[in-house]
C-alpha cells in the first residue's frame, strides 16, 4: 500500500470509486506494520464511503510529477496552489460566493458547492484526457464543519454518535492511542506542528466520529460544546486551507518501502490468473502453469501440505476431457489414494479462474471444521473466502460478496438448507461447482435422503453447476452415473501397499482372493502368554500391538464405546515399564492439558493409559478432549488408539497397523463398505513402506467372513425416510416453486436416484401413486393447499404452500414434529415464563434425542426442587406435574397418563439449563450421571435445533416475539462459554480450552489473533504446533476479512442516502456492529 495519494483510481467496475480509503491514505510511517493499525484501516474505509455519500468528490490530481517540496512546483504543469485557474482557487471562489449570506443554511451551501465542483470535475476530465492514468480522487477535510453549522439536527446527531463511541471497547481506544503516537512522531512540517497543539488526551480521542476524517493526516480535534464554536472553526480555517494542507501533506508523505520482488510476484500471479481464465474459457488443451492455475497454487501446496508432485492418476484425472468440458464426474479410489487433492485443485479452478462460488459437502461436523482450517490459508493467499456451514453456523441466504468468491464447506443438512436459500433468492447460478465427499452416504438413512434431495435440486434448477462426487466404496456406479449424469473414473492406486490379514486363535492368515476360501496361512503369533494373561487377553491383542508400538502407530477398532475403554486399560496393564519412558514429558503435558480442559478433572481411564502412550477415542469424549488426543496421536506422543468405527469416516488419523477387534459394529455384522473404510487407515504416505490390517475372528464367525463379496449397493432412501425424505422433498419443491403441479413433481422425481431405481424400490405402487399419496398427506397436515385429482394423475391443478409449510421447510424442521412444534410455540405465547430461559430451552430441546434418554428419577426430583416457583410452573405448563416426578422418585404407582416424550424432553432441558449456568460439561455430566460425550452431543444438537427454530419463527408473524429471544439463546448454546471467549470461539479450530489459553495469553479479540505471529503463538500457547498456529491465524484473518467486507458493503448502501443526518445514523449503526463483531 502506498503512503501517498498517488495510488490511483480503483478499477472497481461497479461504483467507480477507490475501493477503500485505507488503500489510499498514509496511515503509518515507513516500517510500521499495517496490522498494528487494523482498526484505523476499517475506520478509513467507513469515512471514505461516508465522504463519497456526501458527494465531496474533487478533481483528480496527479502526483507523479513531483520533483521538490515547493508548493508552487509540487504539481508541475497540471495544477498548482497559486494559479487563478487552479482547483484550490475554484474551491475558494465557490466557497465565498455561496457563504456570503450569513443566514444561508450550511448544508444547502455544501450541496451547491458540490454541484459546481462536480461540473468542474467533468470539464476538467475532458480537458485533461491525456493525463497519466495514475490519478487520485482528493477529498476535503471539512465535512464535519459543514454538517455541524446547523445547530439543532447536528447537535442531535453529535449526541447520538458520542454516546455510541463512548461505549466502544477498550481495545479500540488502545489502537487509537497507538495510532496517534505514531502520527505525532512523524509530523515535522509547520502545518503538522500547528495541528499537534489541538490533539486531545487519550480519554477524549473518539468522542466525535467526524474528527476521524479520511484526510491525509488523521487529525483528532476535541469536540466543541456548541455549534457556535464549530462555525467559528469553519470560518477560521477555510475549505481552501484544508485542501492545501491535505494535498501538501500527502505529496510530502514518505512512501512505504514495498518490496519490488513482492510487487513482481503479485503481478505474475495476477497475469497467470488472467491467462488461466482464458485457457479454461476456451477449453484449450494447454492447461497453463499448474492445471490452469497460477504457479503460486503449486507453491502453496508445497509449503502448506508438503506436496511436491502429483501422483500419475491425479494428473490423468485432472486432464480428463470430461473435466475440461465441465461435465459431472464421479471418481473412486481406495482410502489414502489422494482423492481430496484432486477435488481441491478443481475447487481452486472454479474460484480463481471461472470466478464462481463453490459448495463442498462433507459428512460430519468435525471434518467440516478440519477442512475449514486446512483451506483458510489458501483463501488468505489467493483471495477467496472460506465459510463454515455446520451445527448452528451459517447464514441463509449467504452474503452476496462484492468481489471475492466464497467456498462454502457444509455438512449434508446445512448444504441442503444453503441450496434451498440460493434457489429461493435466484442465486443458484452463482454456484459453479458442488463437491461431495463420501458419495456412498447417499445410501445411508435420512442423511442419504437429504443428500439425494440436494443434488437432485441442483441438477434440476442449474444446468451449468458442475457436480463432482468421490468415494472409496462404490459398487452400483451405473445408477449413480445415471442420477448425476456423470462420467466415471476409477483406479486401485494406493501410495502405500496394504496387506490384509485375518487372525483366528493364534494363527494369522493372509487375505488372498485367488484361494478357495479367500485367505491363506501366513504365520503363527510369537508371543509367550502366561495363564493369567491368556485369560485377560484371549484375542492376543497385546501380542499384535507390541509388534509395532511405540516405534510405529496402531489403531484398534472396537464394536462399542465401553469395549474401547476396556481394551485400552487391559493393554497398558500388561505392557512393560519401558513403554512409559517413551516421550514421557509430552505425555505428562497431555494429562495436564486434559485436566485443564476438565477444570481439574480427568478421566481415570485416560490418566491410567496415557503414560503408556495409549488412549481411547469415541463419542463419549468432549470435543476438546477428542481434539487433544487426535493432536497427540498425530505428533507421535500417543502410539495406540482404541476407537469406534466413527473414526474411520472422520478425521484423517492413519496408522502402520489397523486391528479390527471383531467383525461387528455394535451388534450388527461388519459390512464390506465399513471394513474397507477401517482398513483404509493403514499405511501413512511418506512414512510407512507398507500398511497392515488384521481382522480378529472367532472360530464360530469364520464362515461369515467372505472377502470375495462385492461392496454393498447404494440405494435411494427417499421412501424409507418418509418425513425427512419424500414428504420433505415434495414440500420444498412446492415452496421453492420448482414444481407446483402433480405433473411437474412427476417430472422432477425422474431426476432423483429414486427415479432411476424406481423399478427396484417401488414394486407395490407406482412412483406417481406414491407422489400423489405424499401430496395429499401434506394437504391434510395443513402444509400445502390445493387439490389432487382422483382420476387424472396429470392434473394441472396448482399447489401452493401455506405459511406453516414454508416455515417448516425453511427451518429444516422434521415433518414428523412440525405440527407439534407449532402447537407448543402457540401455547408458549399464552404464558411464556421469562423469569429465566428454562421455558425457552424446553422449546429448543431437540425432539429426536428424547428416545435415547432414560431419566434418573432421584436426580430429576432434586433438580426440580432447586427451581424457583416460576420455573417449576414451566414443568406444569408443558405437562409434567410435580406429583408425577415425586411418585416416580419414590417408586409409587402412576395412574395419570403422562407423555414419556415430554417427560424425557424436560429432563434434557434440565441438563441444558445446568450447562448454561455452569458452562462446565464435566460437572454437569457427573451431576446427571451421563457421559461427557452425550452431554456435548446434546448441547450441539440443541444449538442446531435452536437455529432451525429461529428460521421457523421468522416465517410466521405470530411468533415475532421469539425471534430476539432465540437469536441470543442460539449463540449461548453454540459456544456455552463465558462471553469474552465467544469472539475467539468463532475462529475455525478454536474450541473452549484453546480459547482460554489464547485469552489468558493476551489474544482477546479477532484482530489480535489475525495480527499474531505464528512463532510467538507457539511459544506462548502450550501444546500448539507451528502448523496449528498458522491455521488459527489464517482462519482469524479470513473471519476478519468477512466482517470488514460486510461492513464495507453496508456502507456502500449509504451512497444512496442524501441526508447528512441519515448518513451519520448509518455510520453509528455500523460502529455498533463493529463493536459487536469484535473485529478490532
Amino acid at each position: 500500500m502506498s503512503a501517498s495519494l498517488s495510488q490511483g483510481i480503483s478499477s472497481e467496475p461497479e461504483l467507480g470509486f477507490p475501493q477503500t480509503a485505507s488503500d489510499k491514505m498514509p496511515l503509518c510511517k515507513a516500517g510500521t506494520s499495517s496490522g498494528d493499525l487494523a482498526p484505523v484501516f476499517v475506520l478509513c474505509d467507513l469515512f471514505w464511503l461516508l465522504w463519497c455519500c456526501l458527494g465531496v468528490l474533487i478533481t483528480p490530481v496527479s502526483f507523479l510529477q513531483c520533483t521538490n517540496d515547493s508548493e508552487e512546483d509540487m504539481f508541475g504543469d497540471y495544477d498548482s496552489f497559486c494559479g487563478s485557474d487552479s482547483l484550490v482557487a475554484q474551491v475558494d471562489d465557490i466557497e465565498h460566493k455561496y457563504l456570503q449570506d450569513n443566514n444561508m443554511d450550511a448544508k444547502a451551501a455544501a450541496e451547491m458547492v458540490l454541484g459546481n465542483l462536480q461540473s468542474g470535475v467533468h470539464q476538467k476530465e475532458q480537458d485533461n484526457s491525456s493525463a497519466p492514468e495514475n490519478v487520485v480522487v482528493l477529498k476535503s477535510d471539512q465535512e464535519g464543519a459543514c454538517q455541524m453549522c446547523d445547530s439543532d439536527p447536528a447537535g442531535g446527531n453529535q449526541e447520538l454518535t458520542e454516546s455510541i463511541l463512548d461505549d466502544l471497547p477498550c481495545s479500540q481506544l488502545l489502537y487509537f492511542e497507538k495510532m496517534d503516537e505514531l502520527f505525532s512522531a512523524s509530523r515535522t512540517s509547520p502545518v503538522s506542528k500547528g495541528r499537534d497543539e489541538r490533539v486531545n488526551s487519550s480519554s477524549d480521542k473518539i468522542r466525535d466520529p467526524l474528527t476521524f476524517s479520511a484526510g491525509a493526516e488523521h487529525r483528532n480535534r476535541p469536540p466543541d460544546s456548541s455549534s457556535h464554536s464549530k462555525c467559528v472553526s469553519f470560518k477560521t480555517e477555510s475549505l481552501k486551507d484544508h485542501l492545501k494542507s491535505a494535498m501538501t501533506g500527502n505529496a510530502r508523505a514518505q512512501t512505504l518501502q514495498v518490496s519490488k520482488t513482492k510487487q513482481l510476484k503479485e503481478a505474475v500471479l495476477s497475469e497467470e490468473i488472467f491467462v488461466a481464465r482464458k485457457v479454461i474459457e476456451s477449453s484449450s488443451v494447454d492447461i497453463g502453469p499448474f492445471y490452469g492455475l497460477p504457479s503460486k497454487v503449486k507453491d502453496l501446496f508445497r509449503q502448506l501440505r508438503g506436496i511436491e508432485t502429483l501422483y500419475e492418476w491425479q494428473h490423468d484425472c485432472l486432464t480428463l476431457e470430461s473435466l475440461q468440458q465441465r461435465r459431472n464426474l464421479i471418481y473412486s479410489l481406495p482410502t489414502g489414494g489422494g482423492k481430496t487433492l484432486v477435488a481441491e485443485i478443481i475447487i481452486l479452478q472454479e474460484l480463481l479462474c471461472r470466478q464462481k462460488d463453490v459448495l463442498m459437502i462433507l459428512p460430519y461436523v468435525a471434518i467440516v471444521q478440519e477442512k475449514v482450517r486446512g483451506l483458510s490459508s489458501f483463501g488468505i493467499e489467493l483471495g477467496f473466502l472460506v465459510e463454515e456451514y455446520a451445527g448452528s453456523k451459517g447464514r441463509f441466504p449467504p452474503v452476496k460478496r462484492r468481489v471475492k468468491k466464497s467456498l462454502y464447506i457444509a455438512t449434508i443438512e446445512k448444504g441442503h438448507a444453503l441450496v434451498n436459500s440460493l434457489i429461493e433468492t435466484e442465486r443458484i447460478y452463482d454456484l459453479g461447482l458442488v463437491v461431495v465427499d463420501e458419495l456412498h452416504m447417499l445410501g445411508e438413512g435420512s442423511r442419504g435422503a437429504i443428500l439425494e434431495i440436494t443434488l437432485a435440486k441442483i441438477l434440476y434448477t442449474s444446468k451449468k453447476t458442475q457436480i463432482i462426487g468421490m468415494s472409496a466404496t462404490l459398487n452400483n456406479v451405473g445408477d449413480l452415473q445415471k442420477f448425476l449424469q456423470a462420467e466415471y473414473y476409477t483406479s486401485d492406486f494406493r501410495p502405500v501397499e496394504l496387506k490384509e490379514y485375518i487372525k483366528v486363535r493364534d494363527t494369522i492368515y493372509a487375505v488372498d482372493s485367488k484361494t478357495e476360501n479367500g485367505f491363506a496361512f501366513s504365520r503363527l503369533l510369537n508371543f509367550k502368554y502366561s495363564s493369567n494373561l491368556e485369560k485377560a487377553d484371549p484375542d492376543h491383542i497385546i501380542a499384535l500391538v507390541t509388534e509395532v508400538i511405540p516405534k510405529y502407530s496402531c489403531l484398534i477398532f472396537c464394536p462399542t464405546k465401553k469395549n474401547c475403554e476396556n481394551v485400552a486399560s487391559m493393554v497398558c496393564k500388561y505392557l512393560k515399564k519401558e513403554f512409559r519412558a517413551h516421550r514421557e514429558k509430552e505425555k505428562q503435558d497431555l494429562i495436564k492439558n486434559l485436566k485443564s480442559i476438565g477444570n481439574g478433572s480427568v478421566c481415570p481411564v485416560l490418566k491410567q493409559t496415557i503414560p503408556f502412550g495409549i488412549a481411547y477415542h469415541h463419542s463419549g469424549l468432549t470435543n476438546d478432549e477428542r481434539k487433544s488426543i487426535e493432536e497427540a496421536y498425530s505428533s507421535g506422543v500417543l502410539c495406540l488408539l482404541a476407537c469406534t468405527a466413527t473414526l474411520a469416516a472422520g478425521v484423517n488419523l492413519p496408522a502402520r497397523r489397523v486391528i479390527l477387534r471383531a467383525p461387528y459394529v455394535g451388534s450388527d455384522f461388519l459390512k464390506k463398505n465399513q471394513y474397507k473404510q477401517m482398513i483404509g487407515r493403514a499405511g501413512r504416505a511418506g512414512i510407512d513402506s507398507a500398511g497392515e490390517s488384521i481382522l480378529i475372528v472367532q472360530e464360530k464367525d469364520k464362515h461369515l467372513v467372505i472377502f470375495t463379496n462385492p461392496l454393498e449397493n447404494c440405494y435411494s432412501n427417499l421412501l424409507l425416510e418418509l418425513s425427512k425424505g419424500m414428504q420433505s422433498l415434495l414440500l420444498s419443491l412446492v415452496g421453492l416453486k420448482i414444481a407446483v403441479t402433480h405433473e411437474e413433481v412427476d417430472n422432477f422425481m425422474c431426476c432423483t436416484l429414486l427415479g432411476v431405481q424406481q423399478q427396484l424400490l417401488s414394486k407395490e405402487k407406482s412412483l406417481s401413486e406414491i407422489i400423489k399419496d405424499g401430496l395429499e398427506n401434506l394437504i391434510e397436515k395443513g402444509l400445502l393447499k390445493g387439490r389432487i385429482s382422483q382420476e387424472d394423475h396429470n392434473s394441472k391443478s396448482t399447489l401452493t404452500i401455506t405459511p406453516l409449510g414454508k416455515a417448516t421447510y425453511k427451518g429444516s424442521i422434521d415433518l414428523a414434529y412440525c405440527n407439534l412444534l407449532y402447537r407448543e410455540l402457540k401455547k408458549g405465547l399464552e404464558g411464556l415464563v421469562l423469569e429465566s430461559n428454562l421455558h425457552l430451552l424446553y422449546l429448543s430441546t431437540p425432539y429426536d434425542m428424547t428416545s435415547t434418554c432414560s431419566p434418573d428419577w432421584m436426580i430429576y426430583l432434586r433438580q426440580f426442587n432447586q427451581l424457583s416457583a416460576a420455573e417449576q410452573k414451566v414443568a406444569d405448563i408443558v405437562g409434567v406435574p410435580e406429583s408425577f416426578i415425586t411418585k416416580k422418585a419414590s417408586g409409587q404407582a402412576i395412574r395419570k397418563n403422562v407423555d414419556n416424550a415430554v417427560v424425557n424432553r424436560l429432563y434434557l432441558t434440565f441438563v441444558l439449563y445446568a450447562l448454561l449456568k455452569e458452562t462446565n460439561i464435566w460437572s454437569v455430566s457427573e451431576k446427571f450421571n451421563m457421559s461427557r460425550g452425550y452431554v456435548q452431543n446434546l448441547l450441539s444438537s440443541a444449538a442446531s435445533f435452536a437455529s432451525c427454530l429461529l428460521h421457523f419463527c421468522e416465517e410466521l408473524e405470530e411468533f415475532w416475539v421469539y425471534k430476539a429471544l432465540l437469536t441470543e439463546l442460539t449463540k449461548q448454546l453454540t459456544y456455552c462459554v463465558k462471553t469474552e471467549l465467544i469472539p475467539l470461539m468463532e475462529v475455525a479450530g478454536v474450541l473452549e480450552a484453546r480459547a482460554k489459553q489464547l485469552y489468558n495469553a493476551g489474544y482477546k479479540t479477532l484482530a489480535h489473533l489475525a495480527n499474531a505471529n505464528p512463532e510467538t503463538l507457539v511459544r506462548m500457547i502450550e501444546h500448539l504446533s507451528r502448523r496449528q498456529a498458522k491455521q488459527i491465524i489464517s482462519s482469524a484473518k479470513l473471519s476478519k476479512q468477512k466482517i470488514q467486507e460486510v461492513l464495507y458493503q453496508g456502507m456502500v448502501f449509504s451512497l444512496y442516502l442524501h441526508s447528512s443526518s441519515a448518513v451519520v445514523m448509518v455510520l453509528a449503526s455500523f460502529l455498533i456492529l463493529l463493536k459487536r463483531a469484535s473485529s478490532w
Side-chain angles (χ1 to χ4, degrees):
M1 189 190 315
S2 174
S4 73
L5 285 178
S6 60
Q7 197 67 15
I9 295 178
S10 166
S11 60
E12 173 62 51
E14 294 175 283
L15 298 176
F17 296 121
Q19 290 185 358
T20 61
S22 58
D23 288 338
K24 313 291 182 258
M25 295 299 174
L27 290 176
C28 54
K29 58 187 178 181
T32 303
S33 169
S34 62
D36 295 334
L37 299 173
V40 183
F41 296 152
V42 180
L43 258 186
C44 288
D45 289 350
L46 297 179
F47 278 97
W48 171 241
L49 284 169
L50 180 63
W51 198 255
C52 292
C53 179
L54 292 170
V56 189
L57 297 174
I58 310 301
T59 309
V61 179
S62 173
F63 289 158
L64 293 178
Q65 301 178 22
C66 299
T67 57
N68 57 49
D69 289 340
S70 165
E71 289 188 355
E72 288 76 10
D73 298 329
M74 190 172 290
F75 297 98
D77 296 331
Y78 182 80
D79 205 343
S80 73
F81 282 147
C82 300
S84 60
D85 294 327
S86 71
L87 165 70
V88 176
Q90 291 180 47
V91 171
D92 200 30
D93 290 343
I94 295 169
E95 183 183 17
H96 284 295
K97 178 180 176 181
Y98 289 105
L99 292 182
Q100 286 175 355
D101 185 357
N102 292 333
N103 296 324
M104 178 181 287
D105 185 291
K107 178 180 172 182
E111 291 175 351
M112 294 178 196
V113 171
L114 165 65
N116 282 273
L117 281 176
Q118 285 180 332
S119 62
V121 166
H122 181 69
Q123 182 63 38
K124 198 77 169 181
E125 286 174 349
Q126 291 179 347
D127 295 342
N128 295 281
S129 58
S130 60
E133 290 182 8
N134 194 13
V135 293
V136 68
V137 175
L138 184 64
K139 305 175 296 299
S140 166
D141 255 327
Q142 198 54 40
E143 65 170 320
C146 290
Q147 290 180 353
M148 292 304 178
C149 283
D150 187 2
S151 59
D152 290 338
N157 290 335
Q158 163 118 359
E159 290 175 10
L160 170 67
T161 50
E162 282 182 7
S163 64
I164 291 168
L165 288 167
D166 284 340
D167 195 36
L168 288 174
C170 61
S171 59
Q172 295 178 34
L173 293 172
L174 294 174
Y175 273 122
F176 287 126
E177 289 176 16
K178 185 168 184 179
M179 176 198 73
D180 186 63
E181 291 170 7
L182 287 169
F183 295 146
S184 296
S186 65
R187 290 171 184 150
T188 55
S189 68
V191 175
S192 300
K193 289 178 182 177
R195 287 178 185 154
D196 280 346
E197 297 173 3
R198 296 197 297 274
V199 175
N200 268 342
S201 64
S202 61
S203 61
D204 293 322
K205 280 177 184 169
I206 59 169
R207 290 187 183 172
D208 186 354
L210 296 177
T211 61
F212 288 99
S213 170
E217 300 194 17
H218 296 272
R219 298 172 301 281
N220 289 330
R221 290 193 293 271
D224 295 325
S225 59
S226 68
S227 60
H228 174 73
S229 61
K230 296 184 180 85
C231 291
V232 171
S233 174
F234 176 76
K235 291 174 183 177
T236 304
E237 196 164 18
S238 70
L239 181 59
K240 173 183 174 181
D241 294 332
H242 276 282
L243 283 171
K244 288 179 67 175
S245 300
M247 295 166 74
T248 305
N250 280 300
R252 287 174 172 171
Q254 285 186 334
T255 303
L256 286 176
Q257 297 301 314
V258 180
S259 166
K260 291 186 178 179
T261 305
K262 183 178 179 182
Q263 288 180 331
L264 183 60
K265 285 183 177 178
E266 289 176 353
V268 170
L269 174 61
S270 176
E271 177 64 21
E272 287 183 347
I273 288 179
F274 177 77
V275 171
R277 285 182 196 162
K278 293 296 182 185
V279 167
I280 285 182
E281 287 171 5
S282 62
S283 300
S284 169
V285 293
D286 179 10
I287 58 175
F290 186 69
Y291 300 100
L293 289 164
S295 54
K296 184 174 182 179
V297 174
K298 186 176 182 180
D299 296 337
L300 287 173
F301 277 116
R302 184 188 301 114
Q303 295 166 15
L304 302 175
R305 304 279 181 82
I307 297 172
E308 295 287 343
T309 57
L310 270 62
Y311 298 128
E312 185 179 345
W313 83 264
Q314 291 172 328
H315 173 78
D316 293 343
C317 186
L318 286 167
T319 53
L320 287 173
E321 185 181 353
S322 56
L323 278 183
Q324 305 304 315
Q325 296 179 3
R326 285 186 56 75
R327 293 202 293 269
N328 297 343
L329 177 70
I330 300 171
Y331 63 100
S332 177
L333 283 95
T335 301
K339 296 185 296 296
T340 305
L341 178 60
V342 169
E344 289 175 351
I345 291 173
I346 296 171
I347 286 170
L348 293 176
Q349 289 174 343
E350 196 69 29
L351 290 165
L352 302 180
C353 303
R354 298 188 182 93
Q355 289 289 295
K356 290 283 189 178
D357 295 330
V358 177
L359 169 61
M360 188 177 197
I361 299 177
L362 302 170
Y364 303 111
V365 174
I367 309 178
V368 168
Q369 293 170 342
E370 183 185 39
K371 188 59 67 178
V372 169
R373 290 195 300 272
L375 290 176
S376 291
S377 299
F378 286 85
I380 290 292
E381 295 292 333
L382 299 172
F384 62 88
L385 298 173
V386 181
E387 303 190 40
E388 178 182 343
Y389 279 76
S392 61
K393 291 187 178 180
R395 179 169 173 171
F396 305 102
V399 176
K400 188 173 178 62
R401 303 293 176 186
R402 190 171 55 91
V403 176
K404 292 186 177 181
K405 297 304 170 185
S406 292
L407 168 57
Y408 310 113
I409 304 181
T411 56
I412 292 171
E413 293 79 8
K414 286 290 183 178
H416 178 225
L418 179 64
V419 167
N420 279 347
S421 69
L422 291 174
I423 294 172
E424 184 179 32
T425 54
E426 298 182 349
R427 287 170 51 195
I428 190 66
Y429 299 107
D430 292 342
L431 200 62
L433 174 68
V434 176
V435 175
V436 182
D437 195 7
E438 311 295 353
L439 187 62
H440 62 269
M441 291 285 291
L442 277 167
E444 298 188 12
S446 62
R447 305 194 77 216
I450 295 171
L451 180 57
E452 180 181 346
I453 292 170
T454 305
L455 295 176
K457 286 177 180 175
I458 294 168
L459 287 165
Y460 194 82
T461 60
S462 179
K463 303 299 182 185
K464 292 186 178 180
T465 301
Q466 186 180 21
I467 296 176
I468 305 290
M470 53 181 170
S471 175
T473 54
L474 290 176
N475 190 35
N476 56 331
V477 179
D479 287 352
L480 301 180
Q481 279 186 264
K482 194 173 180 182
F483 165 45
L484 295 177
Q485 304 158 33
E487 304 289 322
Y488 180 58
Y489 178 89
T490 186
S491 170
D492 58 0
F493 171 82
R494 229 181 165 276
V496 177
E497 183 188 3
L498 174 61
K499 299 176 181 178
E500 298 178 52
Y501 299 97
I502 179 174
K503 187 191 85 67
V504 182
R505 294 180 180 170
D506 61 349
T507 306
I508 294 180
Y509 301 90
V511 174
D512 186 356
S513 58
K514 297 176 183 178
T515 60
E516 186 178 346
N517 56 4
F519 43 85
F521 174 81
S522 177
R523 63 186 175 92
L524 294 173
L525 280 176
N526 183 21
F527 190 88
K528 294 181 180 179
Y529 269 77
S530 64
S531 57
N532 288 335
L533 184 56
E534 187 74 40
K535 291 177 183 176
D537 182 25
D539 294 325
H540 308 105
I541 292 174
I542 293 174
L544 295 174
V545 300
T546 51
E547 289 178 350
V548 289
I549 66 169
K551 186 177 180 181
Y552 300 106
S553 57
C554 182
L555 294 175
I556 304 177
F557 284 102
C558 304
T560 65
K561 289 184 285 188
K562 189 62 180 174
N563 194 229
C564 291
E565 298 177 29
N566 292 340
V567 167
S569 297
M570 183 271 294
V571 170
C572 74
K573 196 178 293 182
Y574 292 98
L575 286 180
K576 296 178 181 178
K577 291 184 178 179
E578 293 81 65
F579 282 87
R580 298 179 67 101
H582 180 72
R583 303 184 72 166
E584 186 173 6
K585 183 181 181 304
E586 286 129 304
K587 293 172 187 172
Q588 292 303 318
D589 288 342
L590 175 58
I591 293 175
K592 287 179 185 175
N593 188 34
L594 291 172
K595 197 170 184 179
S596 115
I597 289 171
N599 289 332
S601 302
V602 64
C603 172
V605 176
L606 292 175
K607 193 173 183 179
Q608 174 197 4
T609 61
I610 286 176
F612 291 90
I614 300 170
Y616 65 85
H617 183 289
H618 57 59
S619 60
L621 295 168
T622 66
N623 291 341
D624 282 320
E625 288 174 322
R626 197 154 54 239
K627 187 171 176 61
S628 293
I629 287 171
E630 288 167 0
E631 289 172 356
Y633 177 82
S634 297
S635 63
V637 175
L638 297 176
C639 54
L640 174 64
L641 288 184
C643 52
T644 52
T646 52
L647 185 139
V651 291
N652 186 24
L653 295 176
R656 173 66 173 268
R657 176 175 288 179
V658 169
I659 300 170
L660 281 68
R661 172 75 175 75
Y664 290 91
V665 175
S667 58
D668 299 325
F669 197 79
L670 189 68
K671 295 179 182 177
K672 184 73 176 285
N673 289 354
Q674 294 170 324
Y675 171 75
K676 286 292 185 183
Q677 287 275 2
M678 292 179 191
I679 68 170
R681 297 297 180 192
R684 297 168 297 174
I687 300 175
D688 299 325
S689 57
E692 299 174 338
S693 70
I694 301 175
L695 172 63
I696 300 174
V697 179
Q698 304 301 320
E699 191 72 45
K700 63 182 179 64
D701 292 328
K702 189 176 177 181
H703 68 284
L704 297 174
V705 180
I706 305 174
F707 288 97
T708 55
N709 281 354
L711 295 166
E712 288 78 16
N713 287 332
C714 184
Y715 293 116
S716 171
N717 279 272
L718 287 181
L719 295 182
L720 297 177
E721 301 287 338
L722 276 178
S723 64
K724 289 186 178 180
M726 176 62 81
Q727 291 186 5
S728 175
L729 171 58
L730 296 176
L731 180 66
S732 62
L733 287 179
V734 177
L736 293 169
K737 297 182 174 59
I738 296 173
V740 294
T741 66
H742 192 173
E743 182 181 3
E744 290 175 351
V745 173
D746 280 349
N747 292 337
F748 178 90
M749 292 305 296
C750 294
C751 299
T752 63
L753 182 60
L754 175 61
V756 173
Q757 299 174 332
Q758 59 181 300
Q759 301 300 324
L760 293 172
L761 302 179
S762 53
K763 295 179 180 177
E764 296 179 1
K765 289 184 177 181
S766 69
L767 185 55
S768 184
E769 289 174 325
I770 294 171
I771 293 169
K772 175 176 169 294
D773 291 345
L775 291 172
E776 287 177 343
N777 185 271
L778 292 173
I779 292 171
E780 287 175 14
K781 286 184 176 181
L783 303 176
L784 291 180
K785 289 189 295 186
R787 188 175 59 85
I788 303 298
S789 172
Q790 296 294 327
E791 296 82 17
D792 183 10
H793 289 174
N794 292 326
S795 170
K796 301 289 185 181
S797 175
T798 301
L799 298 165
T800 57
I801 195 165
T802 64
L804 177 59
K806 187 175 182 181
T808 300
Y809 93 78
K810 291 197 75 171
S812 301
I813 304 296
D814 190 336
L815 270 64
Y817 306 118
C818 64
N819 285 298
L820 174 60
L821 175 62
Y822 179 82
R823 289 195 300 270
E824 289 187 332
L825 289 170
K826 192 81 172 172
K827 187 177 180 181
L829 290 179
E830 298 170 7
L832 188 65
V833 179
L834 294 176
E835 182 181 276
S836 69
N837 55 13
L838 181 65
H839 198 170
L840 203 63
L841 268 177
Y842 174 80
L843 295 173
S844 303
T845 302
Y847 293 101
D848 53 6
M849 290 199 71
T850 56
S851 59
T852 62
C853 175
S854 299
D856 184 313
W857 294 106
M858 289 305 297
I859 295 175
Y860 209 144
L861 181 61
R862 191 183 309 126
Q863 292 299 312
F864 180 86
N865 290 332
Q866 291 175 4
L867 300 175
S868 66
E871 290 171 336
Q872 289 182 354
K873 186 182 175 184
V874 174
D876 200 45
I877 290 173
V878 301
V880 185
E882 180 181 2
S883 58
F884 175 82
I885 301 173
T886 305
K887 288 179 180 179
K888 274 288 191 179
S890 60
Q892 298 179 36
I894 306 294
R895 295 180 181 177
K896 186 177 179 180
N897 289 329
V898 177
D899 189 343
N900 282 334
V902 174
V903 173
N904 292 353
R905 195 170 178 221
L906 183 62
Y907 187 70
L908 294 177
T909 302
F910 286 170
V911 178
L912 292 170
Y913 189 52
L915 262 176
L916 291 186
K917 287 200 296 186
E918 300 179 27
T919 68
N920 185 348
I921 290 176
W922 263 92
S923 61
V924 172
S925 63
E926 290 173 359
K927 182 182 292 184
F928 286 88
N929 195 24
M930 293 176 167
S931 74
R932 307 182 302 286
Y934 183 84
V935 175
Q936 176 95 63
N937 186 38
L938 171 63
L939 182 63
S940 301
S941 299
S944 184
F945 186 67
S947 176
C948 294
L949 189 58
L950 174 60
H951 293 303
F952 180 87
C953 292
E954 284 174 343
E955 297 301 320
L956 298 169
E957 290 185 11
E958 60 192 297
F959 294 147
W960 65 268
V961 71
Y962 287 112
K963 295 178 189 176
L965 298 172
L966 286 169
T967 300
E968 187 60 32
L969 182 65
T970 301
K971 199 167 193 176
Q972 291 177 12
L973 289 169
T974 299
Y975 300 109
C976 196
V977 293
K978 293 180 180 177
T979 308
E980 62 266 21
L981 297 181
I982 289 178
L984 300 176
M985 294 277 286
E986 289 175 344
V987 177
V990 175
L991 300 177
E992 182 180 1
R994 186 71 79 205
K996 287 180 180 176
Q997 286 181 311
L998 292 167
Y999 189 86
N1000 293 334
Y1003 298 94
K1004 299 184 178 183
T1005 67
L1006 195 62
H1008 291 161
L1009 266 186
N1011 296 328
N1013 181 289
E1015 302 300 328
T1016 306
L1017 211 58
V1018 169
R1019 286 198 304 271
M1020 297 184 72
I1021 307 298
E1022 291 184 352
H1023 317 297
L1024 184 69
S1025 68
R1026 188 172 286 98
R1027 180 182 62 85
Q1028 292 162 350
K1030 288 180 179 178
Q1031 285 182 343
I1032 288 174
I1033 292 170
S1034 294
S1035 297
K1037 285 180 178 177
L1038 208 57
S1039 299
K1040 186 178 174 187
Q1041 282 183 6
K1042 291 176 195 173
I1043 293 171
Q1044 290 178 348
E1045 185 163 346
V1046 170
L1047 291 172
Y1048 186 90
Q1049 289 179 227
M1051 289 304 295
V1052 168
F1053 178 71
S1054 69
L1055 288 168
Y1056 297 100
L1057 303 177
H1058 300 291
S1059 168
S1060 60
S1061 60
V1063 173
V1064 174
M1065 291 292 290
V1066 170
L1067 175 62
S1069 300
F1070 277 91
L1071 286 172
I1072 293 172
L1073 182 56
L1074 275 175
K1075 173 190 172 185
R1076 290 180 179 173
S1078 300
S1079 61
W1080 289 346

